Coordinates of all heavy atoms in Angstrom, one line a residue:
M1 N -130.5 -44.7 12.8 CA -131.4 -45.5 13.5 C -130.6 -46.6 14.4 O -129.8 -47.3 13.9 CB -132.3 -46.3 12.5 CG -133.4 -47.1 13.1 SD -134.5 -47.5 11.8 CE -134.5 -49.2 11.9
K2 N -131.0 -46.6 15.6 CA -130.3 -47.5 16.6 C -130.9 -48.9 16.5 O -132.1 -49.1 16.5 CB -130.4 -47.0 18.0 CG -129.6 -47.7 18.9 CD -129.6 -47.1 20.3 CE -128.7 -47.9 21.2 NZ -128.9 -48.2 22.4
S3 N -130.0 -49.9 16.5 CA -130.5 -51.3 16.4 C -130.3 -51.9 17.8 O -129.4 -51.6 18.5 CB -129.6 -52.1 15.4 OG -129.9 -53.4 15.5
D4 N -131.3 -52.7 18.2 CA -131.1 -53.4 19.5 C -130.9 -54.9 19.2 O -131.2 -55.8 20.0 CB -132.4 -53.2 20.3 CG -133.7 -53.7 19.6 OD1 -133.6 -54.1 18.4 OD2 -134.7 -53.8 20.2
T5 N -130.2 -55.2 18.1 CA -129.8 -56.6 17.8 C -128.5 -57.0 18.3 O -128.0 -58.1 18.0 CB -129.9 -56.9 16.3 OG1 -128.9 -56.1 15.6 CG2 -131.3 -56.6 15.8
N6 N -127.7 -56.1 18.9 CA -126.4 -56.4 19.3 C -125.5 -56.6 18.1 O -124.5 -57.3 18.2 CB -126.3 -57.5 20.3 CG -127.0 -57.2 21.6 OD1 -126.9 -56.1 22.1 ND2 -127.6 -58.1 22.2
G7 N -125.9 -56.2 16.9 CA -125.1 -56.4 15.7 C -125.3 -57.7 15.0 O -124.7 -57.9 14.0
Y8 N -126.1 -58.6 15.6 CA -126.3 -59.9 15.0 C -127.7 -60.1 14.4 O -128.7 -59.7 15.0 CB -126.1 -61.0 16.0 CG -124.6 -61.1 16.5 CD1 -124.2 -60.5 17.6 CD2 -123.7 -61.8 15.7 CE1 -122.9 -60.6 18.0 CE2 -122.4 -61.9 16.1 CZ -122.0 -61.3 17.3 OH -120.7 -61.4 17.7
V9 N -127.7 -60.7 13.2 CA -129.0 -61.1 12.6 C -128.7 -62.5 12.0 O -127.5 -62.8 11.7 CB -129.5 -60.1 11.5 CG1 -129.9 -58.8 12.1 CG2 -128.5 -60.0 10.4
L10 N -129.7 -63.2 11.7 CA -129.5 -64.5 11.0 C -129.3 -64.3 9.5 O -129.8 -63.4 8.9 CB -130.8 -65.4 11.2 CG -131.1 -65.8 12.6 CD1 -132.3 -66.8 12.5 CD2 -129.9 -66.6 13.2
R11 N -128.5 -65.2 8.9 CA -128.2 -65.2 7.5 C -129.5 -65.3 6.7 O -129.7 -64.8 5.6 CB -127.3 -66.3 7.1 CG -125.8 -66.0 7.5 CD -124.9 -67.1 7.0 NE -123.6 -67.0 7.6 CZ -122.6 -66.3 7.1 NH1 -122.8 -65.6 6.0 NH2 -121.5 -66.3 7.7
F12 N -130.5 -66.0 7.3 CA -131.8 -66.1 6.7 C -132.4 -64.8 6.4 O -132.9 -64.6 5.3 CB -132.7 -66.8 7.8 CG -134.1 -67.1 7.3 CD1 -134.4 -68.3 6.7 CD2 -135.1 -66.2 7.5 CE1 -135.7 -68.6 6.3 CE2 -136.4 -66.4 7.1 CZ -136.7 -67.6 6.5
R13 N -132.3 -63.8 7.3 CA -132.8 -62.4 7.1 C -132.1 -61.8 5.9 O -132.7 -61.2 5.0 CB -132.6 -61.6 8.3 CG -133.1 -60.2 8.2 CD -132.9 -59.4 9.5 NE -133.3 -58.0 9.4 CZ -134.6 -57.6 9.5 NH1 -135.6 -58.4 9.7 NH2 -134.8 -56.3 9.5
I14 N -130.8 -61.9 5.9 CA -130.0 -61.3 4.8 C -130.4 -61.9 3.5 O -130.6 -61.2 2.5 CB -128.4 -61.5 5.1 CG1 -128.1 -60.7 6.4 CG2 -127.6 -61.1 3.9 CD1 -126.7 -61.1 6.9
F15 N -130.5 -63.2 3.4 CA -130.9 -63.9 2.2 C -132.3 -63.3 1.8 O -132.5 -63.0 0.6 CB -131.0 -65.4 2.4 CG -131.3 -66.1 1.1 CD1 -130.4 -66.6 0.3 CD2 -132.7 -66.4 0.8 CE1 -130.7 -67.3 -0.9 CE2 -133.0 -67.1 -0.3 CZ -132.0 -67.5 -1.2
R16 N -133.3 -63.3 2.7 CA -134.6 -62.9 2.4 C -134.6 -61.5 1.9 O -135.3 -61.2 0.9 CB -135.5 -63.0 3.7 CG -136.9 -62.6 3.5 CD -137.7 -62.6 4.8 NE -137.3 -61.7 5.8 CZ -137.5 -60.4 5.8 NH1 -138.1 -59.8 4.8 NH2 -137.1 -59.7 6.8
I17 N -133.9 -60.6 2.5 CA -133.9 -59.2 2.1 C -133.2 -59.1 0.7 O -133.7 -58.3 -0.2 CB -133.2 -58.3 3.1 CG1 -134.1 -58.2 4.4 CG2 -132.9 -56.9 2.6 CD1 -133.5 -57.6 5.6
R18 N -132.1 -59.7 0.5 CA -131.3 -59.7 -0.7 C -132.2 -60.1 -1.9 O -132.1 -59.6 -3.0 CB -130.1 -60.6 -0.6 CG -129.2 -60.5 -1.9 CD -128.0 -61.4 -1.8 NE -127.2 -61.0 -0.7 CZ -126.5 -61.8 0.1 NH1 -126.6 -63.1 0.0 NH2 -125.7 -61.3 1.0
H19 N -133.1 -61.0 -1.7 CA -133.9 -61.6 -2.7 C -135.3 -61.0 -2.7 O -136.2 -61.5 -3.4 CB -133.9 -63.1 -2.7 CG -132.6 -63.6 -3.0 ND1 -132.1 -63.7 -4.3 CD2 -131.6 -64.1 -2.2 CE1 -130.9 -64.2 -4.3 NE2 -130.6 -64.5 -3.0
H20 N -135.5 -59.9 -2.0 CA -136.8 -59.1 -2.0 C -138.0 -60.0 -1.6 O -139.1 -59.9 -2.2 CB -137.0 -58.4 -3.3 CG -135.8 -57.7 -3.8 ND1 -135.5 -56.4 -3.3 CD2 -134.9 -57.9 -4.7 CE1 -134.4 -56.0 -3.9 NE2 -134.0 -56.9 -4.7
I21 N -137.8 -60.8 -0.6 CA -138.8 -61.7 -0.1 C -139.4 -61.0 1.2 O -138.7 -60.7 2.1 CB -138.4 -63.1 0.2 CG1 -137.8 -63.7 -1.0 CG2 -139.5 -63.9 0.9 CD1 -137.1 -65.0 -0.8
L22 N -140.7 -60.7 1.2 CA -141.3 -60.0 2.3 C -141.4 -60.9 3.5 O -141.7 -62.1 3.4 CB -142.7 -59.5 1.9 CG -142.7 -58.5 0.7 CD1 -144.2 -58.2 0.3 CD2 -141.9 -57.3 1.0
L23 N -141.3 -60.3 4.6 CA -141.5 -61.0 5.9 C -142.8 -61.7 6.0 O -143.0 -62.9 6.3 CB -141.3 -60.0 7.1 CG -141.3 -60.6 8.5 CD1 -140.1 -61.4 8.7 CD2 -141.4 -59.4 9.5
R24 N -143.9 -61.0 5.5 CA -145.2 -61.6 5.6 C -145.4 -62.8 4.6 O -146.2 -63.7 4.9 CB -146.3 -60.5 5.3 CG -146.4 -60.0 3.9 CD -147.5 -59.0 3.8 NE -147.5 -58.4 2.5 CZ -147.1 -57.2 2.3 NH1 -146.7 -56.4 3.2 NH2 -147.1 -56.7 1.0
E25 N -144.6 -62.8 3.5 CA -144.7 -64.0 2.6 C -144.2 -65.2 3.3 O -144.8 -66.3 3.3 CB -143.8 -63.7 1.4 CG -144.3 -62.7 0.4 CD -143.4 -62.6 -0.8 OE1 -142.3 -61.8 -0.6 OE2 -143.6 -63.2 -1.8
I26 N -143.0 -65.1 4.0 CA -142.4 -66.2 4.7 C -143.3 -66.6 5.9 O -143.6 -67.8 6.1 CB -141.0 -65.8 5.3 CG1 -140.0 -65.6 4.1 CG2 -140.5 -66.8 6.3 CD1 -139.7 -66.8 3.3
A27 N -143.8 -65.6 6.6 CA -144.7 -65.9 7.8 C -145.9 -66.6 7.4 O -146.3 -67.6 8.0 CB -145.0 -64.6 8.5
K28 N -146.6 -66.2 6.3 CA -147.8 -66.8 5.8 C -147.5 -68.3 5.4 O -148.3 -69.2 5.8 CB -148.4 -66.1 4.7 CG -149.6 -66.6 4.1 CD -150.2 -65.8 3.0 CE -151.4 -66.4 2.4 NZ -151.9 -65.7 1.2
E29 N -146.5 -68.5 4.7 CA -146.1 -69.8 4.2 C -145.7 -70.7 5.3 O -146.1 -71.9 5.3 CB -145.0 -69.7 3.1 CG -144.8 -70.9 2.3 CD -145.9 -71.3 1.4 OE1 -146.5 -70.4 0.8 OE2 -146.3 -72.5 1.3
A30 N -145.0 -70.2 6.3 CA -144.6 -71.0 7.5 C -145.6 -71.2 8.6 O -145.4 -71.9 9.5 CB -143.3 -70.4 8.1
K31 N -146.7 -70.4 8.4 CA -147.8 -70.4 9.4 C -147.2 -70.0 10.8 O -147.5 -70.6 11.8 CB -148.5 -71.7 9.5 CG -149.2 -72.1 8.2 CD -149.8 -73.5 8.3 CE -150.6 -73.8 7.0 NZ -150.0 -73.7 5.8
I32 N -146.4 -68.9 10.7 CA -145.8 -68.3 11.9 C -146.1 -66.8 11.8 O -146.1 -66.3 10.7 CB -144.3 -68.6 12.0 CG1 -144.0 -70.1 12.0 CG2 -143.7 -67.9 13.2 CD1 -142.5 -70.4 11.9
S33 N -146.4 -66.1 12.9 CA -146.6 -64.7 12.8 C -145.4 -63.9 12.3 O -144.3 -64.3 12.6 CB -147.0 -64.2 14.2 OG -145.9 -64.0 15.1
P34 N -145.7 -62.9 11.6 CA -144.6 -62.0 11.1 C -143.7 -61.5 12.3 O -142.5 -61.5 12.1 CB -145.2 -60.9 10.4 CG -146.6 -61.4 10.0 CD -147.0 -62.4 11.1
Q35 N -144.3 -61.2 13.4 CA -143.6 -60.7 14.5 C -142.6 -61.8 15.0 O -141.4 -61.5 15.3 CB -144.5 -60.3 15.7 CG -143.8 -59.8 16.9 CD -144.8 -59.4 18.0 OE1 -146.0 -59.4 17.8 NE2 -144.2 -59.1 19.2
R36 N -143.1 -63.0 15.1 CA -142.2 -64.1 15.6 C -141.1 -64.4 14.6 O -139.9 -64.6 15.0 CB -143.0 -65.4 15.7 CG -142.3 -66.6 16.1 CD -142.0 -66.7 17.5 NE -141.5 -68.1 17.8 CZ -140.2 -68.4 18.2 NH1 -139.4 -67.4 18.4 NH2 -139.9 -69.6 18.5
V37 N -141.3 -64.3 13.3 CA -140.3 -64.5 12.3 C -139.2 -63.4 12.5 O -138.0 -63.6 12.4 CB -140.8 -64.5 10.8 CG1 -139.7 -64.6 9.8 CG2 -141.8 -65.7 10.6
S38 N -139.7 -62.2 12.6 CA -138.8 -61.0 12.8 C -137.9 -61.2 14.1 O -136.7 -61.0 14.0 CB -139.6 -59.7 12.9 OG -138.7 -58.6 13.1
E39 N -138.5 -61.6 15.2 CA -137.8 -61.9 16.4 C -136.7 -62.9 16.2 O -135.6 -62.8 16.7 CB -138.7 -62.3 17.5 CG -139.6 -61.2 18.0 CD -140.7 -61.7 19.0 OE1 -140.8 -62.9 19.2 OE2 -141.4 -60.8 19.5
I40 N -137.0 -64.0 15.4 CA -136.1 -65.0 15.2 C -134.9 -64.5 14.3 O -133.7 -64.7 14.6 CB -136.7 -66.2 14.5 CG1 -137.7 -66.9 15.5 CG2 -135.7 -67.2 13.9 CD1 -138.6 -67.9 14.9
E41 N -135.3 -63.7 13.2 CA -134.3 -63.2 12.3 C -133.3 -62.2 13.1 O -132.1 -62.2 12.7 CB -134.9 -62.4 11.2 CG -135.6 -63.2 10.2 CD -136.2 -62.4 9.0 OE1 -136.4 -61.2 9.2 OE2 -136.3 -63.0 7.9
L42 N -133.9 -61.5 14.0 CA -133.1 -60.5 14.7 C -132.4 -61.1 16.0 O -131.8 -60.3 16.8 CB -134.0 -59.3 15.1 CG -134.6 -58.5 13.9 CD1 -135.5 -57.5 14.4 CD2 -133.5 -57.9 13.1
V43 N -132.5 -62.4 16.1 CA -131.9 -63.1 17.2 C -132.4 -62.6 18.6 O -131.7 -62.6 19.6 CB -130.3 -63.0 17.1 CG1 -129.7 -64.1 18.0 CG2 -129.8 -63.2 15.7
K44 N -133.7 -62.2 18.6 CA -134.3 -61.8 19.8 C -135.0 -63.0 20.5 O -135.4 -63.0 21.6 CB -135.3 -60.7 19.6 CG -134.7 -59.4 19.2 CD -135.8 -58.4 19.0 CE -135.2 -57.0 18.6 NZ -136.3 -56.0 18.4
S45 N -135.2 -64.1 19.7 CA -135.9 -65.2 20.1 C -135.3 -66.5 19.4 O -135.1 -66.4 18.2 CB -137.4 -65.1 19.7 OG -138.1 -66.2 20.0
A46 N -135.1 -67.5 20.2 CA -134.5 -68.7 19.7 C -135.5 -69.5 18.9 O -136.7 -69.4 19.2 CB -133.9 -69.6 20.8
A47 N -135.1 -70.2 17.9 CA -135.9 -71.0 17.1 C -135.5 -72.5 17.2 O -134.3 -72.8 17.1 CB -135.8 -70.6 15.6
G48 N -136.5 -73.3 17.6 CA -136.2 -74.7 17.7 C -136.1 -75.3 16.3 O -136.3 -74.7 15.2
D49 N -135.7 -76.6 16.3 CA -135.6 -77.3 15.0 C -136.8 -77.3 14.1 O -136.7 -77.1 12.9 CB -135.1 -78.7 15.2 CG -133.7 -78.8 15.7 OD1 -132.9 -77.8 15.6 OD2 -133.3 -79.8 16.3
Q50 N -138.0 -77.5 14.7 CA -139.2 -77.5 14.0 C -139.5 -76.2 13.3 O -139.9 -76.1 12.1 CB -140.4 -77.9 14.9 CG -141.7 -77.9 14.1 CD -142.9 -78.3 15.0 OE1 -142.7 -78.7 16.1 NE2 -144.1 -78.1 14.5
I51 N -139.3 -75.1 14.0 CA -139.5 -73.7 13.5 C -138.5 -73.5 12.3 O -138.8 -72.9 11.3 CB -139.3 -72.7 14.6 CG1 -140.4 -72.8 15.6 CG2 -139.4 -71.2 14.0 CD1 -141.8 -72.5 15.2
K52 N -137.2 -73.9 12.5 CA -136.2 -73.7 11.5 C -136.6 -74.5 10.2 O -136.5 -74.0 9.1 CB -134.9 -74.2 12.0 CG -134.2 -73.3 13.0 CD -132.9 -73.9 13.5 CE -132.3 -73.0 14.6 NZ -131.1 -73.6 15.1
T53 N -137.1 -75.7 10.4 CA -137.6 -76.5 9.3 C -138.8 -75.8 8.6 O -138.8 -75.7 7.3 CB -138.0 -77.9 9.8 OG1 -136.8 -78.5 10.3 CG2 -138.5 -78.7 8.6
Q54 N -139.7 -75.3 9.4 CA -140.8 -74.5 8.8 C -140.4 -73.3 8.0 O -140.9 -73.1 6.9 CB -141.8 -74.1 9.9 CG -142.7 -75.2 10.4 CD -143.5 -74.6 11.6 OE1 -143.2 -75.0 12.7 NE2 -144.5 -73.8 11.3
L55 N -139.4 -72.6 8.5 CA -138.9 -71.4 7.9 C -138.2 -71.7 6.6 O -138.4 -71.1 5.6 CB -138.1 -70.5 8.8 CG -138.8 -69.9 10.0 CD1 -137.8 -69.2 10.9 CD2 -139.8 -68.8 9.4
A56 N -137.4 -72.7 6.6 CA -136.6 -73.1 5.4 C -137.6 -73.6 4.4 O -137.4 -73.3 3.2 CB -135.6 -74.2 5.8
A57 N -138.6 -74.4 4.8 CA -139.6 -74.9 3.8 C -140.4 -73.7 3.2 O -140.7 -73.7 2.0 CB -140.5 -75.9 4.4
A58 N -140.7 -72.7 4.0 CA -141.4 -71.6 3.6 C -140.6 -70.8 2.6 O -141.1 -70.3 1.5 CB -141.8 -70.7 4.8
L59 N -139.3 -70.6 2.9 CA -138.4 -69.9 2.0 C -138.4 -70.6 0.6 O -138.5 -70.0 -0.4 CB -137.1 -69.7 2.6 CG -136.0 -69.0 1.8 CD1 -136.5 -67.6 1.5 CD2 -134.7 -69.0 2.5
E60 N -138.2 -71.9 0.6 CA -138.1 -72.7 -0.6 C -139.4 -72.6 -1.4 O -139.5 -72.4 -2.6 CB -137.8 -74.1 -0.3 CG -137.6 -74.9 -1.6 CD -137.0 -76.3 -1.3 OE1 -136.6 -76.6 -0.2 OE2 -136.9 -77.1 -2.3
A61 N -140.6 -72.6 -0.7 CA -141.9 -72.6 -1.3 C -142.0 -71.2 -2.0 O -142.5 -71.2 -3.2 CB -143.0 -72.8 -0.3
V62 N -141.6 -70.2 -1.4 CA -141.8 -68.8 -2.0 C -140.9 -68.7 -3.2 O -141.3 -68.2 -4.3 CB -141.4 -67.7 -1.0 CG1 -141.3 -66.4 -1.6 CG2 -142.5 -67.6 0.1
L63 N -139.7 -69.3 -3.1 CA -138.7 -69.2 -4.2 C -139.3 -70.0 -5.4 O -139.2 -69.6 -6.6 CB -137.4 -69.7 -3.8 CG -136.6 -68.8 -2.9 CD1 -135.4 -69.5 -2.3 CD2 -136.2 -67.5 -3.6
L64 N -139.8 -71.2 -5.1 CA -140.4 -72.1 -6.2 C -141.6 -71.4 -6.8 O -141.8 -71.5 -8.1 CB -140.8 -73.4 -5.6 CG -139.6 -74.3 -5.3 CD1 -140.1 -75.6 -4.6 CD2 -138.8 -74.7 -6.6
Q65 N -142.4 -70.7 -6.0 CA -143.6 -70.0 -6.6 C -143.1 -68.9 -7.5 O -143.7 -68.7 -8.6 CB -144.4 -69.4 -5.4 CG -145.6 -68.7 -5.9 CD -146.4 -68.1 -4.8 OE1 -146.1 -68.3 -3.6 NE2 -147.5 -67.3 -5.1
R66 N -142.1 -68.2 -7.1 CA -141.6 -67.1 -7.9 C -140.9 -67.6 -9.2 O -141.1 -67.0 -10.2 CB -140.5 -66.3 -7.1 CG -141.2 -65.4 -6.1 CD -140.2 -64.5 -5.4 NE -140.9 -63.6 -4.5 CZ -140.3 -62.7 -3.9 NH1 -139.0 -62.4 -4.1 NH2 -141.0 -61.9 -3.0
E67 N -140.3 -68.8 -9.1 CA -139.7 -69.4 -10.3 C -140.8 -69.7 -11.3 O -140.7 -69.4 -12.5 CB -138.9 -70.7 -9.9 CG -138.4 -71.4 -11.1 CD -137.7 -72.7 -10.7 OE1 -138.2 -73.4 -9.9 OE2 -136.6 -73.0 -11.4
A68 N -141.9 -70.3 -10.8 CA -143.0 -70.6 -11.7 C -143.6 -69.4 -12.3 O -143.9 -69.3 -13.5 CB -144.1 -71.4 -10.9
E69 N -143.8 -68.3 -11.5 CA -144.4 -67.1 -12.0 C -143.4 -66.4 -13.0 O -143.9 -65.9 -14.0 CB -144.6 -66.1 -10.8 CG -145.7 -66.5 -9.9 CD -145.8 -65.7 -8.6 OE1 -144.9 -64.8 -8.4 OE2 -146.7 -65.9 -7.8
S70 N -142.1 -66.5 -12.8 CA -141.2 -66.0 -13.7 C -141.2 -66.7 -15.0 O -141.1 -66.1 -16.1 CB -139.8 -66.0 -13.1 OG -138.8 -65.6 -14.0
T71 N -141.3 -68.0 -14.9 CA -141.3 -68.9 -16.1 C -142.6 -68.5 -16.9 O -142.5 -68.4 -18.2 CB -141.3 -70.4 -15.8 OG1 -140.1 -70.7 -15.1 CG2 -141.5 -71.3 -17.0
N72 N -143.7 -68.4 -16.3 CA -145.0 -68.0 -16.9 C -144.8 -66.6 -17.6 O -145.3 -66.4 -18.7 CB -146.1 -68.0 -16.0 CG -146.5 -69.5 -15.6 OD1 -146.2 -70.4 -16.2 ND2 -147.2 -69.6 -14.4
A73 N -144.2 -65.7 -16.9 CA -144.1 -64.3 -17.4 C -143.2 -64.4 -18.7 O -143.5 -63.7 -19.7 CB -143.5 -63.4 -16.4
L74 N -142.1 -65.1 -18.6 CA -141.2 -65.2 -19.7 C -141.9 -65.9 -20.9 O -141.8 -65.4 -22.1 CB -140.0 -66.0 -19.4 CG -138.9 -66.1 -20.4 CD1 -138.4 -64.7 -20.8 CD2 -137.7 -66.9 -19.9
E75 N -142.7 -66.9 -20.7 CA -143.4 -67.5 -21.8 C -144.4 -66.6 -22.4 O -144.6 -66.5 -23.6 CB -144.1 -68.8 -21.3 CG -143.1 -69.9 -21.0 CD -143.8 -71.1 -20.3 OE1 -145.0 -71.1 -20.1 OE2 -143.1 -72.1 -20.0
D76 N -145.1 -65.8 -21.5 CA -146.1 -64.8 -22.0 C -145.4 -63.8 -22.8 O -145.9 -63.3 -23.9 CB -146.8 -64.2 -20.8 CG -148.0 -63.4 -21.1 OD1 -148.6 -63.7 -22.2 OD2 -148.3 -62.5 -20.3
Y77 N -144.3 -63.3 -22.3 CA -143.5 -62.3 -23.1 C -143.1 -62.8 -24.4 O -143.3 -62.1 -25.4 CB -142.2 -61.9 -22.3 CG -141.2 -61.2 -23.1 CD1 -141.4 -59.8 -23.4 CD2 -140.1 -61.8 -23.6 CE1 -140.5 -59.1 -24.2 CE2 -139.2 -61.1 -24.3 CZ -139.4 -59.8 -24.6 OH -138.5 -59.1 -25.4
R78 N -142.6 -64.0 -24.5 CA -142.1 -64.6 -25.8 C -143.3 -64.7 -26.8 O -143.1 -64.5 -28.0 CB -141.5 -65.9 -25.6 CG -140.1 -65.8 -25.0 CD -139.4 -67.1 -24.7 NE -138.1 -66.9 -24.2 CZ -137.4 -67.7 -23.4 NH1 -138.0 -68.9 -23.1 NH2 -136.2 -67.5 -23.0
R79 N -144.5 -65.1 -26.3 CA -145.7 -65.2 -27.1 C -146.1 -63.9 -27.7 O -146.6 -63.8 -28.8 CB -146.8 -65.9 -26.4 CG -146.8 -67.3 -26.2 CD -148.1 -67.9 -25.7 NE -148.5 -67.3 -24.4 CZ -148.2 -67.8 -23.2 NH1 -147.4 -68.8 -23.1 NH2 -148.6 -67.2 -22.1
G80 N -146.0 -62.8 -26.9 CA -146.6 -61.6 -27.3 C -145.6 -60.4 -27.5 O -146.0 -59.3 -27.7
K81 N -144.3 -60.7 -27.6 CA -143.3 -59.6 -27.7 C -143.5 -58.8 -28.9 O -143.2 -57.6 -28.9 CB -141.9 -60.1 -27.4 CG -141.2 -60.8 -28.6 CD -139.8 -61.1 -28.2 CE -139.1 -61.8 -29.3 NZ -137.7 -62.2 -28.8
A82 N -143.9 -59.4 -30.0 CA -144.1 -58.6 -31.3 C -145.3 -57.7 -31.2 O -145.3 -56.7 -32.0 CB -144.3 -59.6 -32.4
L83 N -146.1 -57.8 -30.2 CA -147.3 -57.0 -30.1 C -147.2 -56.0 -28.9 O -148.1 -55.2 -28.7 CB -148.6 -57.9 -29.8 CG -148.8 -59.0 -30.9 CD1 -150.0 -59.8 -30.4 CD2 -149.1 -58.3 -32.2
L84 N -146.1 -56.0 -28.2 CA -146.0 -55.2 -27.0 C -146.2 -53.7 -27.2 O -146.7 -53.0 -26.3 CB -144.6 -55.4 -26.3 CG -144.4 -56.7 -25.6 CD1 -143.0 -56.8 -25.1 CD2 -145.4 -56.9 -24.5
F85 N -145.9 -53.2 -28.3 CA -146.0 -51.7 -28.6 C -147.2 -51.4 -29.4 O -147.3 -50.3 -29.9 CB -144.7 -51.2 -29.1 CG -143.6 -51.4 -28.1 CD1 -142.7 -52.4 -28.2 CD2 -143.5 -50.5 -27.0 CE1 -141.7 -52.6 -27.3 CE2 -142.5 -50.7 -26.1 CZ -141.6 -51.7 -26.2
N86 N -148.2 -52.3 -29.5 CA -149.4 -52.0 -30.2 C -150.4 -51.4 -29.2 O -150.4 -51.7 -28.0 CB -150.1 -53.3 -30.7 CG -149.3 -53.9 -31.9 OD1 -148.3 -53.4 -32.3 ND2 -149.8 -55.1 -32.3
E87 N -151.2 -50.5 -29.7 CA -152.2 -49.9 -28.9 C -153.4 -50.8 -28.6 O -153.8 -51.5 -29.6 CB -152.7 -48.5 -29.5 CG -151.6 -47.5 -29.6 CD -152.1 -46.2 -30.2 OE1 -153.3 -46.1 -30.5 OE2 -151.2 -45.4 -30.5
V88 N -153.9 -50.8 -27.4 CA -155.1 -51.5 -27.1 C -156.0 -50.7 -26.2 O -155.6 -49.7 -25.6 CB -154.8 -52.8 -26.3 CG1 -154.0 -53.8 -27.2 CG2 -154.1 -52.5 -25.0
L89 N -157.3 -51.0 -26.2 CA -158.2 -50.3 -25.3 C -157.9 -50.6 -23.9 O -157.5 -51.7 -23.5 CB -159.7 -50.8 -25.6 CG -160.2 -50.4 -27.0 CD1 -161.6 -51.1 -27.2 CD2 -160.4 -48.9 -27.1
E90 N -158.1 -49.6 -23.0 CA -157.8 -49.8 -21.6 C -158.6 -50.9 -21.0 O -158.2 -51.6 -20.1 CB -158.1 -48.5 -20.8 CG -156.9 -47.6 -20.7 CD -157.2 -46.5 -19.7 OE1 -157.2 -46.7 -18.5 OE2 -157.5 -45.4 -20.2
S91 N -159.9 -51.1 -21.5 CA -160.7 -52.1 -21.0 C -160.1 -53.5 -21.2 O -160.3 -54.4 -20.4 CB -162.1 -52.0 -21.7 OG -162.0 -52.2 -23.1
E92 N -159.4 -53.7 -22.3 CA -158.7 -54.9 -22.5 C -157.6 -55.2 -21.5 O -157.4 -56.3 -21.0 CB -158.1 -55.0 -23.9 CG -157.4 -56.3 -24.2 CD -156.8 -56.4 -25.6 OE1 -157.3 -55.7 -26.5 OE2 -155.9 -57.1 -25.8
V93 N -156.9 -54.2 -21.1 CA -155.9 -54.3 -20.1 C -156.5 -54.7 -18.7 O -156.0 -55.6 -18.1 CB -155.1 -53.0 -19.9 CG1 -154.1 -53.1 -18.7 CG2 -154.4 -52.6 -21.2
R94 N -157.6 -54.1 -18.4 CA -158.3 -54.4 -17.1 C -158.8 -55.8 -17.1 O -158.8 -56.4 -16.1 CB -159.4 -53.4 -16.9 CG -158.8 -52.0 -16.5 CD -159.9 -51.0 -16.0 NE -159.4 -49.7 -15.9 CZ -159.7 -48.7 -16.7 NH1 -160.7 -48.8 -17.6 NH2 -159.2 -47.5 -16.5
Q95 N -159.3 -56.3 -18.3 CA -159.8 -57.6 -18.3 C -158.7 -58.7 -18.1 O -159.0 -59.7 -17.5 CB -160.4 -57.9 -19.7 CG -161.7 -57.4 -20.0 CD -162.2 -57.7 -21.4 OE1 -161.4 -57.8 -22.3 NE2 -163.5 -57.7 -21.6
N96 N -157.5 -58.4 -18.4 CA -156.4 -59.3 -18.3 C -155.6 -59.2 -17.0 O -154.7 -59.9 -16.8 CB -155.4 -59.2 -19.5 CG -156.1 -59.5 -20.8 OD1 -156.8 -60.5 -20.9 ND2 -155.9 -58.8 -21.9
E97 N -156.1 -58.4 -16.1 CA -155.3 -58.2 -14.8 C -155.7 -59.3 -13.9 O -156.7 -59.9 -13.9 CB -155.6 -56.8 -14.2 CG -154.9 -55.7 -15.0 CD -155.1 -54.4 -14.3 OE1 -156.1 -54.2 -13.6 OE2 -154.3 -53.5 -14.6

C-alpha cells in the first residue's frame, strides 16, 4: 500500500495506535472531525496551538476514561472471581450487559 505522507506522521498517531485508541474516540472528545484529526496526524494539515491543546486534552480524557473502566473491571473481577465458572441463565447475562 502506497503512502502519501512522505514518510512522516506525528508521534501522536503512533501513540494512539500503540494504545489502541480509535481515531473517532479522539475526534469525538476533541470535537474535531475524524478526517481533520487524520489529516493532522498524517502531516497533511497543520495544527495550530488551540487544536494541539484540544487533541492532547482529548487523548488524556480517553486515557483517564479507560483507566476508570479498567479499575471498575478489576474491582468487579475481584468481587466475582470465585463465581466466574458457575453456570447462569443466558437471560441473566443479557440483563447485566
Side-chain angles (χ1 to χ4, degrees):
M1 185 165 121
K2 187 176 184 215
S3 171
D4 59 351
T5 65
N6 297 321
Y8 290 96
V9 295
L10 294 183
R11 288 184 190 273
F12 181 92
R13 178 180 177 83
I14 295 167
F15 183 91
R16 181 181 63 73
I17 292 169
R18 182 180 297 140
H19 294 283
H20 308 282
I21 298 170
L22 300 175
L23 186 66
R24 70 175 175 257
E25 289 178 278
I26 294 295
K28 181 179 177 184
E29 195 66 42
K31 296 178 177 55
I32 301 171
S33 76
Q35 181 180 352
R36 175 81 168 111
V37 176
S38 180
E39 290 170 355
I40 292 166
E41 286 185 338
L42 297 173
V43 195
K44 292 181 178 179
S45 176
D49 290 341
Q50 180 180 347
I51 297 290
K52 289 177 184 177
T53 299
Q54 283 175 253
L55 290 172
L59 182 59
E60 186 171 352
V62 169
L63 292 169
L64 289 170
Q65 179 181 356
R66 287 186 176 188
E67 178 184 37
E69 290 168 358
S70 178
T71 298
N72 290 339
L74 184 57
E75 289 170 2
D76 191 28
Y77 165 76
R78 287 179 177 153
R79 279 191 306 271
K81 76 178 179 181
L83 306 174
L84 285 175
F85 297 98
N86 292 0
E87 294 179 9
V88 295
L89 293 172
E90 267 189 82
S91 59
E92 185 180 331
V93 174
R94 289 191 189 111
Q95 281 179 333
N96 293 320
E97 288 182 339

